[in-house]
Amino acid sequence: MPDDKDIRPFRLDTPDETLADLRRRIADTRWPTRELVSDRSQGVQLATVQELARYWSTEYDWRACETKLNALPQYTTVIDGVEIHFIHVRSRHEDALPLIMTHGWPGSVVELLGVIGPLTDPTAHGGASEDAFHLVLPSLPGYGFSGEPTELGWDSRRMAGAWAKLMDRLGYPRYVAQGGDVGASVTDAMGRQAPEGLLGIHVNLLAGAIGIKDQLPAESEQERTAHDRLNTFMTDGFGYFLEQSTRPQTIGYSLLDSPVGLAAWMLDHDTDSYYKISRAFVDGEPAGNLTRDSIVDNITLYWLTGTGASSARWYWESGRARAAASAAGQTPPPVSVPVGFTTFPGEIWAAPRSWAETVYPSLTYFNEVDKGGHFAAWEEPEVFATEVRAAFRPLRTS
């Protein structure tokens, strides 16, 4: 699609027959036998997925999520040949700071809905008017309601460049950026590209730790614990990452054909999040905003948009981009804008300050909070919003 710079309103209207087909497919699931262990070491547990499937097919109402999304200002625009979907909520406070936030995998804009109110209307959520943001929430290319790239090269750096174009197109000459998971990688790339107008970034996953893990401090107990968790992820929690970074097309056939297969694949991400999600279904005990409905909202969005394979391709693209740069002896440019970082205790590897300072010498804000995990904005939106406000507060007058 050629770039036309037009910004078009977007509205979701899912056909009834599409939802009926989804329920039929769930009912026709062929189940494996139960795992032979009492934990998740063999994968997503049968009891968890069966309860999720039961709830999904008999109690869950996608129309409620659809209504929630359609109540928000949604748009699309074409950037570099890809139609980009985004939510754009302007604060009622005109001097609000523009903020572009990027979701990750297996997330979507659904994981960020809970922070819209606290960030755009802080006075209604315990904040001050001077903490307000104009909020832009794009769907990554190949994810959700955005179009799929039809050519190679859409790694984090290209996505970062597209976000700079989006903010310019929306008329924001000064803005900040935030991201977690894949969004942290894209936001990191924005900081390294430092497009004109970007005042600073905040991330809640130290994605850069993977490539330099042997160079990170390991002297204190906290540093050694972070190393242990990162090494455990690389040896025992890396299955989805390895498959998607080497064979995204192969896994895509299953993800687009079986809704239960898609759900299980998306749940098998990290230990902390998995057990929280499992308890929400098996025990009825949600962790913060990780409720049954919000979890199934996110899975259903992936199913309805058919983005199981296209979303996985980011891992393939980024892995090859890193390998090519390494082979050529290239190192990424430093982040030249102020960086804020928040460590959430349930993160895959809860990075200590020394790690954040190693990856980001321009670190200007660091904090460790007492609750929340990998899906921080989703699980603990109020805590997350407080961190974003604090990280960007000094940049508002710069």
Side-chain angles (χ1 to χ4, degrees):
M1 299 178 63
D3 291 11
D4 56 17
K5 297 189 177 180
D6 286 346
I7 296 175
R8 294 165 289 275
F10 176 89
R11 182 176 176 82
L12 181 61
D13 186 14
T14 310
D16 288 337
E17 55 268 28
T18 301
L19 299 177
D21 175 69
L22 168 59
R23 288 189 288 270
R24 284 194 298 269
R25 287 172 178 265
I26 296 172
D28 289 342
T29 299
R30 294 179 62 191
W31 295 100
T33 55
R34 184 186 179 279
E35 64 280 354
L36 303 180
V37 293
S38 60
D39 56 21
R40 73 177 290 254
S41 60
Q42 288 191 340
V44 177
Q45 294 159 297
L46 182 64
T48 297
V49 184
Q50 287 189 324
E51 177 55 24
L52 187 155
R54 184 205 63 76
Y55 183 80
W56 198 1
S57 61
T58 63
E59 297 184 36
Y60 171 73
D61 179 15
W62 166 252
R63 296 298 183 193
C65 181
E66 187 175 75
T67 299
K68 185 186 304 182
L69 289 170
N70 284 337
L72 295 168
Q74 298 181 87
Y75 305 91
T76 63
T77 191
V78 179
I79 301 176
D80 290 354
V82 176
E83 188 168 32
I84 301 298
H85 162 267
F86 61 98
I87 296 169
H88 182 198
V89 182
R90 286 187 59 86
S91 172
R92 62 189 177 91
H93 303 288
E94 284 304 313
D95 59 348
L97 179 63
L99 164 63
I100 183 167
M101 285 182 56
T102 311
H103 67 83
W105 185 95
S108 66
V109 292
V110 165
E111 69 177 284
L112 304 178
L113 297 182
V115 302
I116 293 177
L119 292 176
T120 62
D121 189 11
T123 55
H125 295 268
S129 61
E130 55 266 28
D131 286 326
F133 294 92
H134 299 309
L135 196 56
V136 180
L137 306 178
S139 296
L140 288 163
Y143 288 68
F145 305 117
S146 282
E148 296 185 14
T150 57
E151 62 180 7
L152 297 178
W154 277 92
D155 62 356
S156 292
R157 294 171 298 179
R158 187 162 180 181
M159 292 178 182
W163 282 187
K165 292 180 181 179
L166 175 60
M167 295 303 277
D168 179 68
R169 195 170 294 182
L170 292 175
Y172 290 135
R174 299 170 67 256
Y175 63 95
V176 291
Q178 200 286 328
D181 194 82
V182 174
S185 180
V186 173
T187 303
D188 174 279
M190 293 181 73
R192 297 181 192 281
Q193 292 171 3
E196 185 177 358
L198 179 65
L199 303 179
I201 65 173
H202 175 271
V203 293
N204 52 284
L205 174 70
L206 200 65
I210 292 180
I212 61 168
K213 67 185 184 71
D214 294 333
Q215 304 169 35
L216 294 169
E219 297 177 3
S220 70
E221 182 178 353
Q222 185 185 28
E223 290 166 345
R224 289 192 295 272
T225 297
H227 266 288
D228 289 343
R229 288 171 65 168
L230 178 53
N231 288 329
T232 297
F233 173 73
M234 298 290 290
T235 57
D236 191 51
F238 208 56
Y240 78 90
F241 199 108
L242 184 61
E243 180 71 13
Q244 294 190 158
S245 60
T246 57
R247 295 295 187 273
Q249 191 70 14
T250 301
I251 191 61
Y253 295 112
S254 298
L255 302 184
L256 271 75
D257 188 62
S258 167
V260 169
L262 172 68
W265 185 254
M266 293 173 69
L267 262 57
D268 200 7
H269 183 269
D270 69 277
T271 298
D272 178 74
S273 299
Y274 168 73
Y275 282 125
K276 288 172 179 173
I277 291 171
S278 179
R279 287 195 295 271
F281 285 98
V282 177
D283 302 323
E285 299 176 359
N289 272 19
L290 280 174
T291 64
R292 288 182 174 192
D293 280 337
S294 70
I295 294 162
V296 180
D297 285 343
N298 185 59
I299 298 170
T300 306
L301 188 151
Y302 271 76
W303 176 261
L304 296 177
T305 56
T307 48
S310 58
S311 62
R313 290 181 190 133
W314 173 85
Y315 290 81
W316 188 93
E317 292 279 8
S318 294
R320 276 155 177 72
R322 286 193 299 270
S326 177
Q330 300 172 346
T331 57
V335 175
S336 57
V337 300
V339 178
F341 187 88
T342 301
T343 293
F344 288 84
E347 184 56 90
I348 305 173
W349 54 92
R353 185 183 189 112
S354 61
W355 284 26
E357 290 175 333
T358 300
V359 175
Y360 296 118
S362 58
L363 189 74
T364 56
Y365 176 85
F366 177 87
N367 192 31
E368 299 177 22
V369 295
D370 60 2
K371 59 182 177 179
H374 183 74
F375 299 102
W378 192 355
E379 183 183 342
E380 298 291 345
E382 295 286 353
V383 175
F384 181 88
T386 299
E387 286 300 297
V388 172
R389 293 173 194 156
F392 291 133
R393 193 170 290 134
L395 305 182
R396 289 178 177 270
T397 57
S398 62

